Amino acid sequence: EAGRELNRPIMVQFSEGGSAFFAGKSLPNEKGVLQASILGAVVGAHYVRNVAPAYGIPCFVHSDHCAKKLLPWFDGMLEADEGFFAAHGEPLFSSHMLDLSEEPDEENIEICAKYFKRMVPLKLILEMGGWKGAEPPIMIQFSEGGSAFFAGKSLPNEKGVLQASILGAVVGAHYVRNVAPAYGIPCFVHSDHCAKKLLPWFDGMLEADQGFFAAHGEPLFSSHMLDLSEEPDEENIEICAKYFKRMVPLKLILEMEIGITGGVEDGVDNSGVSKEKLYSTPEDVYKVHEGLAPIGEMFTIAAAFGNVHGVYKAGNVKLQPELLGNFQKFAAGKIGTEKPLFFVFHGGSGSGKEDIATALSNGVVKMNVDTDTQWAYWEGLLNFYKAKEGYLQGQIGNPDGPEKPNKSYYDPRKWVRESEVSMVKRVKESCADLSNVNQ
């Protein structure tokens, strides 16, 4: 009824337990046979097929969450699909789900592949659940200043050489590559905001990518950003194209910026730029596509739509994420493909949920939230200090007694962890905003 009222397609799902209930709970349903579950699902699918046309809407029939122990149920439904297909040229069900999340990834994939081979000739869709490698991914970004900090602020980092920034980024990328597998999620490693004066840093990272690729068949980093938005557009695109030609054979993604992101970030001060420079035009954006698309497909565009680094009082920043939709339409008219561009949302901190949703719908695939995560990190420490202030005034003496030691409170591992926990909470919020959950 809901589908009819909304004039939208609907899906009817059968679980194994729900199928047995539909057939009748008093029927025998032996382990390893599951005859009542098979009967209920098959009869249910026929019921939907016969009733749905009266509602005047498309209706899909799906079986959900079949674990390994329930495979006899899956086999029974597939046999019904094969029989129906032989008679009618289409399967009884529209799709089936195998949920083998309790099994090792290799076995999960192997069993799914085995059944999928039977399903493809029947034009059935397979939903695969529970692959541990399919957890939502995360991205670790290194700025030039952050890279130097990671190596050590006391190391020499000469202008035009930037040896500490190169070292910090490369060592950081290796660290992420070695630690990430323990967390069981895909992790991308990205370098961000490389201005023209920082190109030696970019060159150093690219050399590390080339060396890693020669040894392992993939680059050390996942992607790099060139931020030449302060340069004339022609020079910006020309330099990007030059580097992109080196990156494509290494399977690296290039992120570039056209138009200026306002505010201050990692030592770059754009707080005084005129407001019109904070908004790209469709023509500006399409020029990027013209310059880079002939070289390769793996590039993203940080187009300006009023973005500002940092958090500012409401009303001082006017985001217009709907402009991204205009950029897509302009490019689509030239290329003939709907939404052909991949965008990056810079200065995402402090943005409203509606603006984020609009940006996503118009092709944003990455959003930066540096300022909000910095505050979350600090807030974790601030809250810890407020809660434990009496234990942080000296090495000895606290509310529990004048001779009580405070080492367990001022140990950096304690308060740094409090900062991390606070930042994790904020990152999870951003993941939810960007639909990067339960994927």
Side-chain angles (χ1 to χ4, degrees):
E1 289 182 18
R4 181 172 60 182
E5 290 178 15
L6 295 170
N7 194 29
R8 307 293 293 176
I10 206 79
M11 176 178 278
V12 177
Q13 294 193 165
F14 290 89
S15 65
E16 183 270 334
S19 299
F21 183 87
F22 192 76
K25 290 293 284 182
S26 63
L27 290 178
N29 200 34
E30 301 159 37
K31 187 182 294 186
V33 182
L34 301 177
Q35 61 269 47
S37 298
I38 296 169
L39 175 63
V42 171
V43 170
H46 278 286
Y47 173 85
V48 173
R49 275 191 161 272
N50 282 281
V51 170
Y55 286 84
I57 57 168
C59 190
F60 301 94
V61 188
H62 177 74
S63 69
D64 210 39
H65 286 291
C66 178
K68 188 177 181 181
K69 64 184 179 182
L70 303 179
L71 285 177
W73 174 55
F74 200 95
D75 288 324
M77 292 185 291
L78 212 48
E79 286 179 18
D81 281 315
E82 289 167 332
F84 198 88
F85 190 91
H88 305 282
E90 60 180 308
L92 176 61
F93 291 79
S94 311
S95 55
H96 298 290
M97 179 190 182
L98 284 169
D99 181 1
L100 305 173
S101 54
E102 295 181 354
E103 316 309 322
D105 283 349
E106 295 75 13
E107 185 178 358
N108 184 346
I109 296 169
E110 183 181 341
I111 293 174
C112 286
K114 169 190 161 188
Y115 277 100
F116 194 43
K117 287 175 183 176
R118 287 180 63 188
M119 294 170 68
V120 167
L122 305 177
K123 304 175 185 176
L124 275 164
I125 297 169
L126 170 65
E127 178 183 346
M128 175 186 175
W131 180 35
K132 298 171 186 66
E135 294 293 331
I138 206 77
M139 177 176 280
I140 303 295
Q141 294 195 162
F142 289 88
S143 65
E144 183 269 335
S147 298
F149 183 88
F150 192 77
K153 289 292 283 183
S154 64
L155 290 179
N157 201 34
E158 301 157 37
K159 186 181 296 186
V161 183
L162 301 177
Q163 61 269 47
S165 297
I166 295 169
L167 176 63
V170 171
V171 170
H174 278 285
Y175 174 85
V176 173
R177 273 190 163 272
N178 282 277
V179 171
Y183 287 85
I185 57 169
C187 191
F188 299 93
V189 188
H190 176 73
S191 68
D192 212 41
H193 283 291
C194 179
K196 189 176 180 181
K197 63 184 179 182
L198 304 179
L199 285 176
W201 174 55
F202 200 97
D203 291 324
M205 292 185 291
L206 211 47
E207 287 179 18
D209 282 314
Q210 290 168 326
F212 198 89
F213 191 92
H216 304 283
E218 59 181 291
L220 176 61
F221 291 79
S222 311
S223 54
H224 297 292
M225 180 193 178
L226 283 169
D227 180 1
L228 305 171
S229 55
E230 294 180 337
E231 317 307 323
D233 287 352
E234 293 74 15
E235 183 180 0
N236 180 351
I237 296 170
E238 182 182 339
I239 295 174
C240 285
K242 168 189 162 188
Y243 277 100
F244 195 37
K245 288 174 183 175
R246 291 178 61 188
M247 295 170 69
V248 166
L250 303 177
K251 305 174 185 176
L252 277 163
I253 299 168
L254 170 66
E255 176 186 335
M256 68 84 66
E257 182 163 338
I258 192 81
I260 291 178
T261 301
V264 181
E265 182 72 11
D266 202 42
V268 178
D269 187 352
N270 288 330
S271 56
V273 300
S274 58
K275 288 188 177 180
E276 61 269 15
K277 290 187 177 181
L278 300 179
Y279 301 94
S280 300
T281 68
E283 291 79 9
D284 295 336
V285 174
Y286 187 67
K287 283 178 186 175
V288 176
H289 182 272
E290 286 184 310
L292 299 183
I295 302 169
E297 297 178 344
M298 294 169 58
F299 66 92
T300 59
I301 305 171
F305 53 96
N307 321 58
V308 174
H309 286 131
V311 177
Y312 297 88
K313 185 178 178 181
N316 287 2
V317 177
K318 177 57 179 173
L319 275 180
Q320 297 184 40
E322 61 275 8
L323 290 178
L324 298 176
N326 296 339
F327 304 158
Q328 293 281 23
K329 289 175 184 175
F330 185 87
K334 299 281 188 179
I335 301 166
T337 303
E338 186 179 0
K339 291 186 179 179
L341 307 175
F342 297 99
F343 291 122
V344 176
F345 186 162
H346 277 257
S349 292
S351 299
K353 307 292 187 187
E354 289 185 7
D355 283 338
I356 294 172
T358 301
L360 285 180
S361 69
N362 287 320
V364 162
V365 295
K366 171 177 172 277
M367 184 175 82
N368 290 7
V369 286
D370 183 58
T371 303
D372 279 349
T373 51
Q374 286 178 339
W375 174 259
Y377 194 93
W378 156 247
E379 192 173 37
L381 171 55
L382 175 64
N383 291 338
F384 173 74
Y385 179 81
K386 287 179 177 179
K388 305 296 181 183
E389 187 173 358
Y391 299 84
L392 296 168
Q393 302 308 309
Q395 289 185 291
I396 302 292
N398 60 46
D400 298 331
E403 297 181 0
K404 296 288 185 179
N406 294 317
K407 181 174 173 57
S408 62
Y409 296 96
Y410 63 76
D411 183 335
R413 290 172 296 183
K414 178 65 177 179
W415 46 265
V416 165
R417 181 55 187 161
E418 295 296 326
S419 291
E420 289 176 343
V421 169
S422 178
M423 183 171 164
V424 165
K425 183 179 178 182
R426 182 61 185 83
V427 170
K428 288 170 71 175
E429 179 185 340
S430 287
C431 286
D433 291 341
L434 297 168
S435 300
N436 185 33
V437 291
N438 301 322
Q439 297 294 319

